[in-house]
Amino acid sequence: MRVILINPPLDSVLRDGNVDPVTSYLFYNSAPLGLLYIAAVLERRGETVACIDAAAEKLDIPGTVKRIQEFKPDVIGIGSTTVVFDGAIELAEKCKEAMPDVPMVLGGYHVTLLPDEAMAHDCFDIGVIHEGEHTMEEVVDHFKGLVKREDIEGIVYKQDDGTVHHAPHRKTFRKLDELPFPARHLLPPNLYKPVPVDEHAMPKFAMVSSRGCPHACAFCQKSRTGYRSRDPKHVVDEIEHMIRDFGVRDIAFVDSLFCANKRRVMKICDEMIRRNVKVSWTCSSRVEVVDKEMLQKMKDAGCWRTRFGVESGSDQVLDFISKGITKEKIRNAITWAHEVGLRPKAFFMVGHMPDTHETIQETIEFAKSIPLHDVTVQINTLLPQTPQMEVWQREGSKWGRVINESTSERSFWEPTFVPWGLESEDIIEYHRQFYREFYFRPVTLARHLEGIENWRHVYKYVQASNLFSFLFYNMEKPSLSMVKGFVDAMKKNRKASDSAAMHEYLG
Ligand code: B12
Ligand code: SF4
């Protein structure tokens, strides 16, 4: 069978507007591994598979439909998160018009979280819930006439009376090592441009060494699959395969939680050291899992950065979002990571349900007081099937107001929910202020200058300038006022306690 798998184009609002630098990195910086895993499983069975990342190729809907038609598919699969779902619907509808007999399968986070709502659109024939590798094998067998639709677990579909039928739940697949490596050869290797300050060498590829997460942070989609991890040897086999077949030099582990378990991380690092694997890499961690020994081992095995989900610098907010960590634990982990040379980065959000002017300012000050090299700041967004969405549904008016219900704006970069006591404009301004105050400091600059190893790294910062100007001032290009702002902020910071921190840092 000929199966084509699509990462949908951005919807018309994003696509036709002047796509800003943040959006472009947000949507096009890493290959859709979920689609590539499904492609690999289908290829292993002898199906002919193609993949199109329409968002990354910046294709519009007619251009994507044309490419799909040229492939002459027997089945079309679309993977969609919530934020790109409008684009997924538009694409599926146009495909149905052009190829009415070709079945359309929808997979990914949105249909998993909101199956009834997603399948209400007539353009989708079958929805695949949760992880799709084995379900998709059976779906393809169904279209070959080998399996009855009623016998497939883990799908949803519309019955003749228009109601959505939920098939029995498919048991979570635990033997991750039995899966083939993602079919990365199906996408152009140079399509993805990582955020310049987030890569150490090129080409940079993403991979996962585990799935699921045992925690339940309020803003994160509830993990119903549980945590499962791959054998460290199998993980290193995939790294070697990426180096051999794609010349990969930097890897981002995009597991929800790479450092969930010290023993496993130590084993992966030992295996990389034993095989003398020459690659740099980054990963995500929770602050309470790491210790200095573990971070040092990661550094020895080629890790150059750990990303920590910090989210807030207010213990009261951390408590509300069930992060299960304290400011003290955050400070310890980030200090150790910095001391062993891991250039720690943290994720923060502004606009948590209990956030106030004071807690946001406390968060910005906290971020500046710990030895972080980079931050990503997002705007808290209520996504379906998250614990905070349940709180909102139960006691919403207690916390604030939803100001925008559009799915395509739930990108974490524009306010859709505003806590009482704050205005939407405050959140937008705090978002920028956070970046400005964090980056426009001698100590941050010094940390970045120290990380420059070659001319390519210098070029990275030139490339990043439009990103920074957008983040700091909402300008597409750096301008004189940005330079002025930079100088002013540096002067201000020099006077502040920060200058003491810099002297201490520079020894
Ligand atoms: C890497 C990553 C990215 C990368 C690559 C995204 C991509 N297209 O894969 C980048 C940086 C580009 C990115 C961007 C964004 N991301 Co992101 N990202 C992730 C992350 C950390 C890992 C994804 C991954 O590779 N998983 C491993 C693979 C194997 O699993 P999978 O993707 O779930 O795929 C399986 C199933 O979903 C299903 N499936 C998927 N597609 C299809 C298609 C078909 C046809 C079928 C049958 C099945 C199927 O089968 C797959 C194999 O089992 C996840 C969190 C996580 N750990 O899963 C968040 C996550 C997917 N991102 C999220 C968000 C919100 C975003 C952004 C809006 C940015 C932001 N502000 O965070 C943008 C939106 C981009 C977009 N195009 O939609 C949310 C989505 C929530 C939601 N309700 O939709 C997640 C779940 C994080 C979270 N916990 O909140 N992201
Ligand atoms: S934010 Fe991270 S640690 Fe928290 S539930 Fe989501 S994946 Fe797990």
Side-chain angles (χ1 to χ4, degrees), residues 183-201:
R184 297 186 172 90
H185 57 277
L186 294 179
L187 288 172
N190 300 326
L191 198 53
Y192 299 97
K193 304 271 174 283
V195 181
V197 290
D198 256 351
E199 53 93 349
H200 187 248

Side-chain angles (χ1 to χ4, degrees), residues 34 68 77 115 118 153 173 208 221 346 355 362 365 393 395 403-404 411 429 431:
I68 298 173
E153 290 177 341
F173 177 69
V208 285
Q221 127 254 338
D355 253 338
E362 190 185 346
E365 288 310 315
Q393 280 160 349
E395 45 190 64
I403 55 163
N404 193 333
S411 64
E429 182 43 34
H431 186 220

Side-chain angles (χ1 to χ4, degrees), residues 213 215-217 219-220 256-257 286 323:
C213 171
H215 301 277
C217 304
F219 51 86
C220 188
S256 293
L257 195 52
R286 284 179 56 99
K323 200 65 204 169

Side-chain angles (χ1 to χ4, degrees), residues 89-106:
I89 300 168
E90 209 183 325
L91 175 67
E93 283 173 347
K94 295 290 176 221
C95 283
K96 276 286 175 202
E97 273 169 45
M99 297 163 273
D101 299 329
V102 181
M104 180 73 61
V105 183
L106 174 67

Side-chain angles (χ1 to χ4, degrees), residues 174-246:
R174 303 206 68 82
K175 296 183 179 160
L176 297 182
D177 294 330
E178 288 178 3
L179 291 175
F181 299 146
R184 297 186 172 90
H185 57 277
L186 294 179
L187 288 172
N190 300 326
L191 198 53
Y192 299 97
K193 304 271 174 283
V195 181
V197 290
D198 256 351
E199 53 93 349
H200 187 248
M202 290 292 282
K204 174 183 173 179
F205 275 28
M207 71 175 277
V208 285
S209 74
S210 63
R211 292 189 184 182
C213 171
H215 301 277
C217 304
F219 51 86
C220 188
Q221 127 254 338
K222 273 204 256 165
S223 166
R224 291 195 211 132
T225 49
Y227 177 76
R228 292 142 295 147
S229 61
R230 292 169 56 190
D231 184 319
K233 289 201 172 66
H234 197 248
V235 172
V236 183
D237 288 346
E238 183 172 340
I239 296 175
E240 287 188 325
H241 148 76
M242 289 196 288
I243 296 173
R244 199 175 46 244
D245 294 358
F246 301 102

Side-chain angles (χ1 to χ4, degrees), residues 250-282:
D250 195 18
I251 292 173
F253 284 99
V254 296
D255 310 34
S256 293
L257 195 52
F258 178 83
C259 298
N261 166 328
K262 178 175 171 183
R263 235 168 58 117
R264 192 186 80 100
V265 174
M266 297 293 264
K267 277 192 183 164
I268 294 176
C269 293
D270 281 335
E271 191 64 17
M272 287 175 84
I273 294 167
R274 193 182 68 76
R275 294 197 209 175
N276 196 18
V277 174
K278 293 269 172 280
V279 78
S280 59
W281 53 279
T282 59

